[in-house]
Amino acid sequence: MGIVLFGGTVVNYDSVKSQDVRIDGQIIDRIGPGLEVSGDEVIDVSGCYLFPGGIDPHTHFDLNMGNTMTADDFATGSRAALMGGTTTVIDYATQSRGQSLSDALAIWHGKAAGKSFIDYGFHMAMCDCRDEVLAELAMLAIHHGVSSVKLYMAYKDVMQVDDASLLKVMRVCRSAGLRVCLHCENGDIISEMVKSAKAAGKFSPEQHAATRPEAVEAEAVYRAICLTEIFGCSLYIVHVSTERAVNLIREAQRRGLPVTAETCPQYLLLDESYYEKADFEAAKYVMSPPLRNRNNQAALWQGLADSTISCVGSDHCSFNWIGQKELGRDDFSLIPNGAPGVENRFGLMYTFGVEAGRLSLQQFAQVTSTNAAKLFGLYPRKGALMVGSDADIVIWDPTRHSVIRAENQTQNVDYNTYEGFAQTGAVRHVFLRGKRMVKDGVSHVAALGEYLPRNPMPIGEGN
Ligand code: URP
Ligand code: ZN
């Protein structure tokens, strides 16, 4: 017995069509008119869009940030993602110094297995680039299904790697078919600026932004592009926040370099004025890169619309304001960096992308799902509503209106980054591999998420 989704509008990265969809088991069996087979359950989805399940390529669940753990683990974070229309996350399995990559990966499998409500893959986030660790890289894709590696040019003395290490990793990744995800901020400059601010007696949260100016991102993006030009690996620049970075990336792409990019709703929708909030509320928005001058936002939207930027990730890295962000009440440099957003990414992009006329429905599908699947080795299993693809389907009711409130959220954190934002449209049902995980906006079932081994990506492909 199958399930027929009847009367909706099917949105893919390249088409919008009034079509029915039949699910058989875990996959999409047929698309078109008159699909019902005797015994099928027929669900009327008239007036709704059917979107490919959202893919969030940038989350940090159950991450130790040195002085505290993220508020969301795989259970709470994945459930929040699901409620918001995301059916796959690619989380950053993060190595500690001195640790092997296989040990770090085994720990991340332990954090997610049996707990995740949605399917998940891992990028490997590296900070220790010893020769023994580099030797493990090629095995990641072949034996473990991890086809992307993240490095940080920021977070000095913690996660930051120097250029020599970056080059070594790029060289291996090029031959092994791994994509390099890069956090582009110059950590040495930031470290010096933080020291100067503190020496001048400046300790409040707005100093977080003051010590990470736009040039810090622009310099790192330019350096990363130059390194890619020399070593030729596929580069994916995470959480791009400035117009300058978008322009550098566009120019690199025009020159044919294998450079792709991601931005996040916070850089598209919030701005540096949030750091003026009194009574330590500004700490809720301490993230890296920081929120920017509003003038950058048009360029980020344009980057999405013209495909300079491929993906929207949430960079979900949640900390409670009470008790966690408060660790930095007397010193901004101790505020844990990051903000929640996995639950709201999909709805915000629909509201401020599609409804606001900045993105077409197809572009919405591309930036919230398809492009991440293509770049990270999940396509066409994920990221498309096609015969044979996993039946990961979001039934989206565009007539609903709501206001984002922390008190209504599933994320396990005491605030919402987008508190008070009006949202157009809402999740009605969500299917994960054919199972209705959300029914009429309510989640019913257990943690059925599975690990997704991902394919390596030959250089030049999917860029
Ligand atoms: O502030 C952020 N973005 N925290 C998460 C870690 C990272 O830099 O991506
Ligand atoms: Zn991140």
Side-chain angles (χ1 to χ4, degrees):
M1 175 181 134
I3 300 172
V4 175
L5 305 173
F6 165 81
T9 301
V10 175
V11 180
N12 267 306
Y13 71 96
D14 58 350
S15 63
V16 179
K17 292 182 186 159
S18 295
Q19 284 175 322
D20 304 337
V21 172
R22 183 169 188 274
I23 299 169
D24 190 357
Q26 302 204 359
I27 62 163
I28 297 175
D29 168 50
R30 278 186 290 154
I31 301 180
L35 302 182
E36 189 182 343
V37 174
S38 147
D40 280 354
E41 178 188 5
V42 178
I43 302 173
D44 185 348
V45 293
S46 308
C48 290
Y49 292 120
L50 278 64
F51 290 123
I55 301 176
D56 190 336
H58 191 154
T59 62
H60 303 274
F61 296 154
D62 211 350
L63 175 67
N64 186 341
M65 283 290 269
N67 57 353
T68 192
M69 295 290 292
T70 53
D72 280 295
D73 64 7
F74 273 85
T76 62
S78 68
R79 190 174 189 143
L82 174 71
M83 293 299 285
T86 290
T87 52
T88 296
V89 289
I90 312 178
D91 196 76
Y92 282 99
T94 302
Q95 177 200 32
S96 313
R97 286 200 194 276
Q99 196 176 42
S100 71
L101 298 183
S102 52
D103 282 354
L105 201 55
I107 289 171
W108 246 260
H109 275 293
K111 288 171 188 273
K115 276 179 133 186
S116 185
F117 284 76
I118 59 175
D119 287 351
Y120 56 93
F122 298 131
H123 311 278
M124 188 79 240
M126 284 176 76
C127 60
D128 185 339
C129 304
R130 285 170 292 135
D131 287 348
E132 309 91 271
V133 175
L134 291 176
E136 288 186 271
L137 273 174
M139 293 296 108
L140 278 181
I142 297 167
H143 293 307
H144 302 286
V146 174
S147 56
S148 43
V149 173
K150 184 184 191 184
L151 296 155
Y152 290 85
M153 296 167 94
Y155 302 126
K156 194 169 170 61
D157 300 327
V158 187
M159 291 300 290
Q160 184 175 333
V161 298
D162 60 16
D163 288 354
S165 303
L166 185 46
L167 287 180
K168 285 183 200 164
V169 174
M170 283 180 159
R171 205 159 33 200
V172 180
C173 286
R174 182 196 157 98
S175 56
L178 300 179
R179 196 173 296 281
V180 173
C181 305
L182 206 52
H183 177 131
C184 292
E185 288 186 294
N186 184 319
D188 290 328
I189 299 177
I190 293 166
S191 169
E192 288 308 310
M193 291 190 74
V194 168
K195 280 185 208 156
S196 303
K198 293 209 262 187
K202 298 174 179 173
F203 288 97
S204 56
E206 76 270 15
Q207 290 303 316
H208 176 74
T211 55
R212 305 177 99 101
E214 291 185 12
V216 160
E217 180 179 76
E219 185 280 331
V221 166
Y222 184 68
R223 184 158 36 108
I225 289 169
C226 292
L227 297 178
T228 302
E229 184 172 349
I230 298 165
F231 284 90
C233 73
S234 293
L235 175 66
Y236 176 84
I237 300 178
V238 297
H239 50 46
V240 168
S241 67
T242 58
E243 177 173 15
R244 289 169 74 171
V246 178
N247 290 340
L248 288 165
I249 292 162
R250 186 179 290 112
E251 199 261 339
Q253 292 169 347
R254 278 203 191 115
R255 288 195 290 132
L257 295 175
V259 178
T260 50
E262 161 200 282
T263 190
C264 312
Q266 51 270 38
Y267 304 117
L268 293 161
L269 300 173
L270 309 180
D271 66 44
E272 62 189 0
S273 67
Y274 283 70
Y275 296 120
E276 291 162 17
K277 287 182 184 281
D279 301 327
F280 199 60
E281 212 182 322
K284 294 176 179 173
Y285 307 94
V286 166
M287 60 185 79
S288 296
L291 300 177
R292 303 296 190 184
N293 184 301
R294 190 159 279 273
N295 294 337
N296 289 287
Q297 292 176 356
L300 295 172
W301 283 108
Q302 179 55 35
L304 285 171
D306 68 19
S307 301
T308 305
I309 301 175
S310 302
C311 302
V312 175
S314 66
D315 195 7
H316 181 95
C317 190
S318 59
F319 301 100
N320 288 308
W321 185 52
I322 305 290
Q324 293 196 290
K325 291 284 186 181
E326 274 187 330
L327 292 166
R329 200 172 257 284
D330 300 322
D331 176 353
F332 72 92
S333 66
L334 300 179
I335 300 171
N337 282 206
V342 74
E343 188 165 350
N344 303 112
R345 181 191 70 110
F346 200 82
L348 289 168
M349 291 310 296
Y350 180 82
T351 305
F352 295 95
V354 177
E355 273 293 305
R358 294 173 171 124
L359 299 176
S360 67
L361 286 163
Q362 293 99 312
Q363 286 169 327
F364 170 80
Q366 289 163 22
V367 303
T368 59
S369 180
T370 315
N371 290 346
K374 288 184 174 177
L375 288 174
F376 293 113
L378 293 171
Y379 187 83
R381 178 177 175 190
K382 305 288 189 189
L385 301 182
M386 287 177 4
V387 172
S389 296
D390 279 1
D392 295 353
I393 309 173
V394 176
I395 314 295
W396 184 261
D397 181 347
T399 65
R400 295 268 308 280
H401 294 274
S402 58
V403 175
I404 295 174
R405 298 276 177 222
E407 65 198 32
N408 301 326
Q409 72 187 3
T410 303
Q411 301 170 146
N412 183 37
V413 57
D414 64 3
Y415 73 100
N416 188 297
T417 322
Y418 306 95
E419 183 75 24
F421 273 57
Q423 181 176 301
T424 302
V427 163
R428 185 184 286 180
H429 312 301
V430 181
F431 289 83
L432 174 72
R433 282 180 282 105
K435 189 112 191 147
R436 187 155 29 160
M437 303 286 285
V438 177
K439 185 176 180 189
D440 294 315
V442 180
S443 92
H444 286 283
V445 283
L448 299 176
E450 289 180 359
Y451 177 62
L452 297 168
R454 299 180 292 113
N455 299 322
M457 190 65 53
I459 183 77
E461 207 171 290
N463 289 314

